Amino acid sequence: MAEVLVLVDHIDGEVKKVTTELLTAARRLGEPAAVWVGEGIDTGSAKLAEFGAEKVYAAPAELNDYVVAPTAELLAKLAGDASAAAVLVSATPENKEIAGRTAVKLGSGVLTDAVDVSAEGATEHSIFGGGTITHAKVPNGVPVIAVRPNSFPAEASPAAAAQEEVSIELSDSAKAARVTERVVREKGARPELTEAAIVVSGGRGVGSDDFTVVENLADSLGAAVGASRAAVDSGWYPNQFQVGQTGKTVSPNLYVALGISGAIQHRAGMQTSKNIIAVNKDPEAPIFELADFGVIGDLHKVAPQLTEEISKRK
Amino acid sequence: MNIVVLVKQVPDTATERKLTSDDKTLDRAASDGVINELDEYAIEEGLLLKEKHGGEVTILTMGPEQATDSIRKALSMGADKAVHVSDEALHGSDALQTAYALAQALGTIEFDLVVLGSESTDARTGVVGAALAEYLGLPQLTLADKVDVDGQSIKVQRLTDYGYDVVEAELPAVVSVVEKINEPRYPSFKLIMQAKKKPVEKLTIADAEIDAARVGLANAATETVDVAAAPPRAAGTIVKDESDGGVKVAEFLAEKKFV
Ligand SMILES: Cc1cc2nc3c(=O)[nH]c(=O)nc-3n(C[C@H](O)[C@H](O)[C@H](O)COP(=O)(O)OP(=O)(O)OC[C@H]3O[C@@H](n4cnc5c(N)ncnc54)[C@H](O)[C@@H]3O)c2cc1C
Ligand SMILES: Cc1cc2nc3c(=O)[nH]c(=O)nc-3n(C[C@H](O)[C@H](O)[C@H](O)COP(=O)(O)OP(=O)(O)OC[C@H]3O[C@@H](n4cnc5c(N)ncnc54)[C@H](O)[C@@H]3O)c2cc1C
């Protein structure tokens, strides 16, 4: 069976959930081979083994000293050497860029934001803010596919995860854009936004930079906190928590929108959530068109009551 | 410093967008074409850099005839001239083919910097900037929310999952911008009038030395197999808060086994 390369997402060795989803999809297409860039592989390899990685290619952290191009060179080289059946990455902005450059090098095609992948390497997409479903494929060459996190469940299937060091001589052009400083914002204790099973987001309706009403509800549900662009632009909540067209795309089992009107750009980032709850004092707010359950009311009354009720039921 | 800003015309996000039933490409007749929102930030950044460092801002668009409207709008924001690559052979090109064609078209323009949006609102692949840098062999400084040019060097803040990276390179380079970077200006009446007279150069694929065998639907590296409307969401339950809204939501959550 041909190898299917899976680019691993990890933070200092901690493998992200989306990688286990990619390994699950990779098993339909062939033999999963994880590609690890950077430190921490000893921490992470058990997880890769659990979800079916037959092999783990380990590449040096030096690749991350430059923007995108080195990892694309690595993936293209590995895919060529192993005659890989496909290359899978998570559909983050950075990984989509890696996917694009990898496909250029392989002379194949790139499919982005797939919500499912078939055994033939065909993909399903949810486009135009969720209104339309398409299926697509790369007819020739190695398909490079960026898969949206949380699209399907990961299933364990133990494998060897045999480690193989890879070295690569980077081209000069791959080293043209240098990362000279890395600024890491505090991660906090909550689950990561794109990976969380539940997301509670606040919008302009929260009314101030005091987001505790949102955070308290999130914590009672073990959820991640998100924000609309209006809340982010007002400086109430940090940028990296923005959900929407130009923020993060989330697809949790439950999305709770507090004081968010449901503008098309916000919907583009959350419309594929499995269950949606909205609290808004305006009965005409478009978010109610999406809501499985909606409350017309003041979020500052409804959310605290809900938080209390959840604690009571625990 | 000569700057090329890439501008894509897209269907208005606020209208209903569709793919055509025959060849499954974007149905451009179904909705009004507008400048991709993110590209307005790219135009603004181009203009700000020009104001600081001098030179010219050229708009580069690949798209059908009606994309001219978006080009005029870009010129009325203050860009100096435009290049419009328009050829029936380009219809149905995918993201990588688009990047290839744009790279070829850039071969006809003298530039120090290419600025583009980080993503289009219709296709949203977000790969054109990276693929363009790959084709051109130029440094990729994408997803920028801050851009500084100093002589021949460029430095950007690149947004990441965890915060941002500071990225540095030498010009010429490819930069894509996110919407946090600036506030796009509105065209003034004077600029709108001037824009009508600004030069727009039309290029066919032959003019730009774009290989016909590498673009267009028939040669695309990706194929849309089928298109269908998503099943409509079942209508939800909407209640008015009668001092029990929170309890009602909790009941819904219990029913769905979230609590
Ligand atoms: C290029 C571009 C990209 C964009 N990208 C994004 C993006 O990624 N994400 C995003 O979110 N937006 C994005 N937007 C902005 C988007 O168009 C909206 O402006 C934004 O989503 C509005 O945020 P909001 O719903 O919080 O605010 P508003 O639209 O102002 O809505 C606030 C809502 O809160 C309700 N409310 C007020 N007080 C209360 C209360 N006490 N209790 C209950 N409800 C209350 C109001 O009835 C209203 O419905 C983008 C726009 C552009 C042009
Ligand atoms: C719903 C949908 C899904 C699609 N999915 C895929 C896919 O998975 N894989 C694939 O290969 N193709 C796909 N395509 C085709 C592809 O989107 C088009 O070729 C498109 O022109 C380029 O991709 P983009 O709009 O996603 O660019 P993005 O990479 O999202 O755009 C980034 C920036 O590139 C610049 N730019 C992009 N196109 C042009 C242009 N024509 N002229 C000038 N500047 C431009 C703009 O500055 C823009 O802000 C899809 C098309 C649609 C309508």
Side-chain angles (χ1 to χ4, degrees):
Chain A
M1 253 201 302
E3 282 184 14
V4 179
L5 300 180
V6 170
L7 181 63
V8 177
D9 283 353
H10 67 95
I11 300 174
D12 302 329
E14 206 186 304
V15 175
K16 289 205 188 175
K17 193 173 86 189
V18 65
T19 299
T20 64
E21 294 161 4
L22 295 182
L23 289 169
T24 304
R27 298 205 304 268
R28 302 172 196 154
L29 293 152
E31 232 170 58
V35 180
W36 186 287
V37 180
E39 316 286 342
I41 190 163
D42 294 334
T43 317
S45 73
K47 191 60 152 267
L48 303 176
E50 183 187 345
F51 285 89
E54 298 288 350
K55 201 185 262 182
V56 183
Y57 292 109
E62 184 213 347
L63 271 59
N64 291 331
D65 294 347
Y66 313 94
V67 178
V68 167
T71 304
E73 277 189 3
L74 171 73
L75 290 175
K77 176 180 183 293
L78 291 173
D81 290 352
S83 305
V87 178
L88 305 184
V89 305
S90 69
T92 62
E94 169 149 324
N95 285 349
K96 291 204 281 185
E97 296 184 333
I98 290 172
R101 293 189 77 138
T102 304
V104 171
K105 286 178 185 296
L106 290 170
S108 63
V110 62
L111 296 167
T112 62
D113 291 294
V115 295
D116 209 352
V117 186
S118 78
E120 290 73 43
T123 49
E124 181 170 302
H125 304 258
S126 166
I127 62 168
F128 298 150
T132 305
I133 307 284
T134 63
H135 291 92
K137 64 178 182 187
V138 173
N140 299 302
V142 188
V144 183
I145 303 172
V147 182
R148 205 176 267 178
N150 260 342
S151 293
F152 44 81
E155 287 154 24
S157 170
Q163 199 169 315
E164 192 174 308
E165 307 292 326
V166 290
S167 61
I168 178 163
E169 189 75 37
L170 295 176
S171 70
D172 285 341
S173 72
K175 297 197 269 192
R178 309 174 305 275
V179 177
T180 53
E181 195 186 336
R182 185 150 284 155
V183 178
V184 180
R185 297 248 161 75
E186 218 184 316
K187 193 164 149 274
R190 295 191 184 89
E192 227 240 315
L193 189 51
T194 54
E195 307 241 301
I198 305 180
V199 174
V200 180
S201 290
R204 201 194 306 275
V206 173
S208 75
D209 65 357
D210 182 1
F211 245 57
T212 40
V213 61
V214 182
E215 291 180 331
N216 287 346
L217 177 56
D219 291 341
S220 75
L221 288 162
V225 173
S228 74
R229 180 173 168 201
V232 169
D233 281 359
S234 307
W236 300 347
Y237 221 65
N239 190 25
Q240 68 266 35
F241 296 101
Q242 181 175 319
V243 171
Q245 172 94 49
T246 47
K248 300 216 158 111
T249 300
V250 301
S251 200
N253 290 334
L254 175 64
Y255 187 86
V256 184
L258 301 175
I260 292 175
S261 61
I264 186 85
Q265 295 92 347
H266 188 78
R267 292 158 66 145
M270 47 67 74
Q271 197 147 12
T272 51
S273 305
K274 281 90 188 169
N275 292 280
I276 296 171
I277 289 178
V279 181
N280 196 304
K281 64 181 185 191
D282 174 9
E284 305 295 326
I287 191 78
F288 285 128
E289 292 162 21
L290 287 185
D292 298 289
F293 197 88
V295 180
I296 302 163
D298 183 351
L299 72 92
H300 289 286
K301 300 211 174 87
V302 178
Q305 188 182 59
L306 174 57
T307 308
E308 198 190 310
E309 197 65 23
I310 291 166
S311 318
K312 268 199 244 160
R313 284 167 192 254
K314 269 186 190 152
Chain B
M1 186 168 65
N2 290 322
I3 300 163
V4 179
V5 180
L6 301 190
V7 172
K8 182 186 182 190
Q9 190 183 53
V10 297
D12 192 341
T13 313
T15 61
E16 197 193 336
R17 294 168 294 171
K18 303 198 285 215
L19 299 182
T20 61
S21 46
D22 50 342
D23 71 357
K24 305 180 190 75
T25 60
L26 193 65
D27 187 347
R28 293 177 197 271
S31 35
D32 290 340
V34 296
I35 292 184
N36 176 35
E37 281 167 344
L38 269 302
D39 297 350
E40 294 187 16
Y41 298 82
I43 298 166
E44 177 66 31
E45 199 59 24
L47 295 172
L48 291 172
L49 287 167
K50 171 189 157 166
E51 282 160 13
K52 216 161 161 188
H53 303 281
E56 270 190 331
V57 174
T58 306
I59 302 299
L60 172 59
T61 292
M62 165 179 143
E65 189 51 40
Q66 71 255 36
T68 315
D69 297 345
S70 296
I71 292 173
R72 287 291 164 203
K73 164 99 192 285
L75 291 172
S76 67
M77 285 174 71
D80 299 287
K81 57 190 174 58
V83 174
H84 183 181
V85 190
S86 192
D87 198 307
E88 208 29 61
L90 294 165
H91 172 79
S93 294
D94 67 17
L96 300 186
Q97 292 176 314
T98 301
Y100 158 73
L102 291 169
Q104 292 300 106
L106 282 163
T108 70
I109 310 169
E110 256 181 59
F111 66 89
D112 304 287
L113 190 63
V114 180
V115 187
L116 68 163
S118 49
E119 178 177 292
S120 70
T121 53
D122 57 349
R124 300 191 68 191
T125 68
V127 308
V128 168
L132 190 66
E134 176 76 29
Y135 280 119
L136 295 169
L138 294 182
Q140 173 190 334
L141 301 95
T142 43
L143 303 169
D145 79 342
K146 191 168 186 289
V147 177
D148 285 307
V149 174
D150 182 7
Q152 278 307 105
S153 305
I154 178 163
K155 182 164 153 177
V156 311
Q157 255 174 231
R158 167 181 168 84
L159 287 193
T160 63
D161 245 11
Y162 44 78
Y164 65 88
D165 286 350
V166 178
V167 179
E168 297 181 47
E170 301 305 307
L171 295 177
V174 176
V175 168
S176 83
V177 301
V178 300
E179 104 284 1
K180 299 278 176 286
I181 194 165
N182 58 40
E183 198 51 63
R185 65 192 69 186
Y186 287 103
S188 67
F189 180 71
K190 193 170 137 226
L191 281 169
I192 292 171
M193 296 317 286
Q194 282 173 0
K196 297 195 167 120
K197 296 192 209 82
K198 288 178 180 169
V200 179
E201 187 188 356
K202 281 267 164 79
L203 296 184
T204 63
I205 61 165
D207 298 331
E209 294 182 27
I210 295 166
D211 180 355
R214 293 182 64 181
V215 292
L217 191 63
N219 305 307
T222 58
E223 182 188 331
T224 305
V225 182
D226 58 42
V227 179
R233 280 191 97 93
T237 309
I238 312 292
V239 300
K240 212 170 166 308
D241 182 26
E242 313 274 7
S243 305
D244 60 352
V247 177
K248 290 248 171 74
V249 179
E251 283 162 7
F252 174 83
L253 291 177
E255 206 180 291
K256 294 274 177 184
K257 310 246 180 314
F258 284 109
V259 289

